[in-house]
Amino acid sequence: MTDQTQNAPRFGGMNTAAVAPWVIAAAFLLVMPFIFTSNSAITIMNQMSITIIFALSYNMLLGQGGMLSFGHAVYMGVGGFFCVHIMNMVEDGGLPLPLPLLPLFGGLFGLGLATIVGAFSTRKAGTVFAMISLGVGELIAACSVIVVAFFGGEEGVSGDRTYGLPVFGVEFLQQIEVYYLIAFWLMLSALLMYLFSRTPVGRMANAVRDNPERAEFLGYSARWVRFYSFCAAGFFAGIAGGLFAINYEILTEENLNLTQSGAILLITFLGGIGFFFGPILGAIVFTLLQTVLSLQTELWQLYLGALFVATVMYFPGGLAGLLMMHAPALRSGRAGRLVLPYIKTLGPALIGVLALAGLIEMTFHLRHASLGDHHMTLFWVDLDSHSLVPWLVFAAIMAAGFAVMRRNLPELLSAWHSANATGDRS
Amino acid sequence: MTAMMQGGAVAALEMQGLRKSFGRTEIIRGIDLSIAKGERHAVIGPNGAGKSTLFNLITARFAPTAGRVALHGQDLAGMSPFQINRLGLSRSFQITNIFPKMTVFENVRCSLLWSMGYRYSFWHMVGNSRALTEGAEAILEQINLTARRDLPAGVLSYAEQRALEIGITIAGGADVIMLDEPTAGMSHSETDYIVDLIGKVTQDKTLVMVEHDMGVVFGLADRISVLVYGEIIATGRPDEVRGNPKVQEAYLGAALEAEH
C-alpha cells in the first residue's frame, strides 16, 4: 500500500516544498553557535531545543488529539530520572553506553509510563482525561519525596555525562558538544513527530479530536486512537527528559510537578496548537522570556501571564495562527499594503505597553525596594521612583501611545480588508 | 430491483421483538422487521414516532430494553460502534456530523482508512498511497464536492455538508447504509438533489433510511415501513403503503390535517 505517486505536490509526499523547511531548520541549528558564541547563549539554545521537543510532544495530545493534559511533565521527568540513573550506572563502570543513545532510553521509559497511564486515561477525552492527567501528575510528583531511592527526595538525583563511551573522541565535556547532540535529537524527534501526523493513526487522531462518535462509525475505536497518540507523546516527552538529564545532569521534583506541566500547556498554546510549528514558536518565545526577560525584571512572570491571557482571549490560534492569518494576503501578493499600517498602529501600541510596564515596575519598586532606596533604572534611564515627574512622563507616554494606536486602527482594518479581499473565488 | 426476501437468504438486517424504554416511557414497543440484502427500505412516521430511537437501536448507539438486532445474522448486542462498522454497517446522523476542522478531502480519506486495511498504522504515510488518494477523489466526484476539496468541511453550505456526510457514510464500503433523515431542513431542490445522490451511491447496497416525509422516499424505496407510537403499523411497497387505510388514518391523515 505504499505505492509511489507521480505528481508529487498534489500528494504531499517527499517533494521540495515539503523538504525545504527541514533543510533550513537543520542549517539554522548548525550555524547558530557560530553566531551566538557565548556560553550563556548556548545554554539558552540547549534549553530552547529541549523545550521544543517537549512542546511538540505535548501538542500531539492537545493540538492533534484534543486531549488537554495537566500532567505531561511526568513523562519528561520520569524519562529524565531514568536517564540520570543510567548515567550513574555508566559512571560506576557497569554499562558501556555511548551518551548520544541515552535519550532513546529516556523515550522508552516515557513510553512505558504512558502505556500504563494511557491504558486507563484515554477512555474518554475532555474533562475526564484532564482530571486523570492532573491526578496522575500529582501522584507521581508526590512520589518524588516518598520513593527517595529513585527520585532522590528534595535534592533530586544528579549524574555526570562525561563517563560514557567516547564517540569519535567526543566526551561531551563542553557545552557546544552537548548543543549538537541536542540539535540532532531535536531534528530527529521533530521530523518523526511530523511524520506521525501524516500516518493513518495520526490522521485519525484529528478525526477523533473533531468528532469521536463519527470516527467510531468509520471503524476506529476513539479510545485506541487516543491511546496510540498518548503513547507517542509520552515517548517524545521522554526523549526531551533524556536530553534534559544530559544537559543539566540533575533532575528534581521540579521536573515532575504541576508548575512544569502548566508551563508546557502555556508554551504550546502561546505558540498555537493548530499548526505543527506553533509549539516551536511558543518554546522559543517562552525560553527567551524566561531567560532574557527574567534577567531584566523580577516581574517577568506577570508579563508572561498577561501575554498568555491576551493570547487565549484575542488570538486563540496563538503565534502560529497569527502568522498564518497573513498567508492569504502573502499568496495574493498584497501583504505589502499591511506594512505601513502595522508600523503606524503596532509601533505606538508597543510604546504604550512599554510605558505601562514602566509604571508597573515603578509601583513594584515603590513597594519592594529597601527603605530610602529611591533610585532605579528603567529603560536605561536613571530615575527617582518617589518623585512625581517620572510617573507623569510614563503615564503621558502611555496615553499618547494608545491614543495614536486607536486613531490609526481603522486604517489598519481597512488595509486588512483590502489585502484579504478574495475577489470571487467561489 | 426486486427487494423481497429471497428464500433461505440471511436478511441484511433483522429486528426481533425490539423494545426501548426511557424511564417509564416506552418509545419503541415491539418491532419485528426483516430487511433483505440489496433492499432499499424507508422507515417513515410522524414526529415523535420513535424513528430516531429505532435508528439508534439498530446502530447500537442505544442498548435495547428487550429484543435483538442482527446484521447478516450476527447479533449486535453489546458491540461498539466501531465493531459494528467493521461488520459492514455504516450510518449517517440527523444532525450533520462531520469533522469540521479537517478539509473535505481529509474527511473522506479518513473514512477510507479502516476499510483499506490501514488500521492503527503509524508506519505508513497516508500521502504516499495512490489508492487512498484516488479512492477519496472518486468519492468526492460522486458527491460533487471535487471543487471544495481543500476547504475545511465546517465552512461548506448545509446541503454540501449533508452530501459530505453521505460521502463519509458510504466511503468505507459498508454494504448496509443507514441514513437518518438525510434531507432534514432542506429546500425542495436540495431535497431532490440529495435523493438523487442517495439513489446513485447506494446501488447494490442495502439502504435503511429514516424519513419524516413519504414523498421524499416514494421513488427511492423498495419497501416502506410506517412507524407510529413505537410500533410498525404497516410494511409494504410504496403504493401499498400509501393505499393502506390505517396508514392514511394514523399518519397521512394527521399530515393532511396539519397542512389544511
Side-chain angles (χ1 to χ4, degrees):
Chain A
M1 293 245 190
T2 49
D3 34 355
Q4 282 306 303
T5 57
Q6 73 295 53
N7 50 350
R10 202 85 207 276
F11 294 90
M14 283 296 134
N15 53 61
T16 41
V19 171
W22 298 98
V23 176
I24 294 169
F28 198 70
L29 284 171
L30 275 178
V31 300
M32 280 303 272
F34 295 98
I35 302 166
F36 299 98
T37 49
S38 75
N39 253 335
S40 61
I42 289 173
T43 306
I44 291 175
M45 289 190 286
N46 284 353
Q47 190 179 337
M48 216 176 254
S49 303
I50 295 169
T51 312
I52 289 173
I53 299 176
F54 189 30
L56 283 173
S57 83
Y58 186 74
N59 205 37
M60 293 178 96
L61 297 178
L62 183 61
Q64 311 282 342
M67 287 174 272
L68 174 61
S69 166
F70 291 115
H72 198 50
V74 162
Y75 306 95
M76 173 169 172
V78 167
F81 271 104
F82 270 108
C83 285
V84 177
H85 285 296
I86 294 175
M87 278 199 294
N88 286 334
M89 284 156 77
V90 172
E91 184 180 344
D92 296 341
L95 203 66
L97 181 79
L99 189 76
L101 287 181
L102 192 59
L104 177 64
F105 290 91
L108 291 176
F109 285 110
L111 173 67
L113 181 62
T115 310
I116 297 166
V117 176
F120 59 86
S121 73
T122 53
R123 222 177 282 262
K124 290 262 187 297
T127 316
V128 178
F129 175 84
M131 289 298 138
I132 294 177
S133 75
L134 185 65
V136 170
E138 286 296 83
L139 186 119
I140 292 178
C143 280
S144 67
V145 284
I146 301 168
V147 192
V148 180
F150 182 77
F151 292 106
E154 279 179 14
E155 65 268 33
V157 185
S158 49
D160 189 331
R161 64 177 174 242
T162 58
Y163 286 92
L165 288 180
V167 181
F168 303 117
V170 177
E171 290 181 17
F172 298 99
L173 291 160
Q174 295 172 30
Q175 275 288 75
I176 186 73
E177 293 163 348
V178 176
Y179 170 87
Y180 282 111
L181 174 63
I182 294 176
F184 166 77
W185 277 99
L186 168 61
M187 281 307 294
L188 184 66
S189 312
L191 188 64
L192 287 176
M193 280 188 266
Y194 178 74
L195 292 179
F196 181 85
S197 74
R198 313 325 272 175
T199 63
V201 74
R203 298 280 84 197
M204 286 312 294
N206 286 180
V208 167
R209 170 201 68 195
D210 275 13
N211 197 338
E213 184 174 39
R214 195 62 173 107
E216 292 244 322
F217 277 104
L218 299 180
Y220 280 88
S221 153
R223 185 243 174 118
W224 284 109
V225 171
R226 283 192 210 104
F227 175 74
Y228 288 121
S229 298
F230 191 83
C231 290
F235 176 72
F236 289 107
I239 288 181
L243 292 169
F244 188 96
I246 291 172
N247 191 40
Y248 294 98
E249 300 177 303
I250 180 166
L251 271 106
T252 64
E253 189 263 346
E254 275 181 35
N255 298 106
L256 298 165
N257 64 21
L258 188 58
T259 315
Q260 190 69 10
S261 293
I264 201 62
L265 162 62
L266 198 144
I267 289 166
T268 309
F269 203 91
L270 187 68
I273 61 171
F275 297 93
F276 181 80
F277 67 96
I280 301 178
L281 289 184
I284 293 172
V285 170
F286 180 87
T287 312
L288 283 177
L289 288 175
Q290 190 185 25
T291 51
V292 179
L293 190 66
S294 70
L295 290 178
Q296 306 300 318
T297 166
E298 290 175 61
L299 295 177
W300 70 277
Q301 281 175 313
L302 175 79
Y303 301 120
L304 187 68
L307 183 63
F308 182 62
V309 173
T311 307
V312 173
M313 287 178 66
Y314 301 110
F315 314 108
L319 295 170
L322 213 54
L323 286 178
M324 293 307 281
M325 264 167 59
H326 296 83
L330 277 172
R331 236 176 279 129
S332 65
R334 283 182 289 204
R337 293 182 203 178
L338 290 171
V339 176
L340 196 62
Y342 263 143
I343 294 171
K344 282 163 84 174
T345 45
L346 296 187
L350 182 66
I351 291 170
V353 168
L354 288 176
L356 175 63
L359 290 173
I360 293 169
E361 292 291 328
M362 281 198 288
T363 311
F364 182 70
H365 188 261
L366 204 63
R367 301 286 305 160
H368 292 273
S370 50
L371 202 64
D373 178 12
H374 293 183
H375 173 82
M376 70 182 290
T377 306
L378 208 52
F379 302 120
W380 306 279
V381 181
D382 292 328
L383 47 83
D384 178 354
S385 63
H386 283 64
S387 105
L388 195 59
V389 183
W391 289 84
L392 288 177
V393 171
F394 272 105
I397 295 174
M398 180 182 81
F402 287 137
V404 174
M405 179 202 76
R406 273 196 77 141
R407 193 176 62 84
N408 291 342
L409 201 57
E411 191 185 334
L412 174 63
L413 290 179
S414 72
W416 178 260
H417 286 307
S418 96
N420 285 286
T422 41
D424 30 28
R425 255 190 74 227
S426 58
Chain B
M1 181 187 305
T2 57
M4 295 290 108
M5 281 276 296
Q6 283 149 22
V10 177
L13 263 180
E14 177 106 44
M15 285 149 256
Q16 286 172 352
L18 202 58
R19 289 174 180 274
K20 177 69 182 175
S21 307
F22 292 102
R24 287 208 192 144
T25 322
E26 193 166 44
I27 304 291
I28 297 296
R29 305 192 292 173
I31 286 186
D32 298 281
L33 183 64
S34 178
I35 296 168
K37 226 176 149 186
E39 174 179 347
R40 287 187 180 140
H41 196 103
V43 177
I44 63 166
N47 283 330
K51 298 188 300 286
S52 284
T53 306
L54 175 62
F55 197 95
N56 286 326
L57 284 174
I58 297 172
T59 55
R61 203 182 187 194
F62 299 156
T65 314
R68 65 188 281 270
V69 179
L71 175 67
H72 302 308
Q74 187 163 3
D75 198 336
L76 297 182
M79 285 198 188
S80 309
F82 62 88
Q83 291 168 322
I84 293 171
N85 181 264
R86 290 174 199 170
L87 291 177
L89 182 146
S90 185
R91 68 163 289 181
S92 77
F93 290 78
Q94 187 174 359
I95 297 156
T96 306
N97 212 338
I98 53 177
F99 306 110
K101 288 188 218 158
M102 292 158 47
T103 66
V104 173
F105 176 73
E106 287 274 5
N107 267 269
V108 177
R109 189 165 66 178
C110 276
S111 21
L112 284 168
L113 285 173
W114 189 273
S115 62
M116 293 188 69
Y118 283 99
R119 302 172 67 90
Y120 299 103
S121 156
F122 50 87
W123 51 89
H124 291 102
M125 295 289 115
V126 287
N128 286 345
S129 164
R130 201 152 118 198
L132 200 51
T133 306
E134 282 172 358
E137 281 173 346
I139 300 271
L140 286 181
E141 198 66 47
Q142 263 190 300
I143 56 174
N144 297 325
L145 287 180
T146 305
R148 298 282 195 251
R149 188 183 191 278
D150 297 317
L151 288 178
V155 308
L156 296 184
S157 75
Y158 180 71
E160 286 172 331
Q161 290 193 6
R162 301 297 312 194
L164 177 59
E165 167 102 43
I166 290 169
I168 295 173
T169 307
I170 58 157
D175 52 7
V176 178
I177 305 288
M178 301 207 35
L179 303 178
D180 192 359
E181 300 211 16
T183 65
M186 286 193 176
S187 70
H188 272 299
S189 60
E190 286 170 339
T191 301
D192 291 347
Y193 170 73
I194 289 289
V195 169
D196 263 7
L197 184 68
I198 293 169
K200 202 169 78 180
V201 298
T202 57
Q203 261 168 20
D204 307 323
K205 293 179 193 237
T206 309
L207 171 71
V208 182
M209 185 171 154
V210 159
E211 255 303 332
H212 176 72
D213 182 359
M214 192 199 280
V216 170
V217 296
F218 200 79
L220 185 66
D222 299 313
R223 284 200 306 161
I224 294 179
S225 292
V226 182
L227 188 69
V228 177
Y229 293 120
E231 287 173 304
I232 289 180
I233 59 165
T235 296
R237 288 197 310 276
D239 48 340
E240 285 171 4
V241 167
R242 193 149 63 171
N244 185 322
K246 256 162 75 189
V247 175
Q248 285 174 347
E249 186 194 340
Y251 176 62
L252 299 174
L256 282 174
E257 265 171 42
E259 269 172 37
H260 293 291

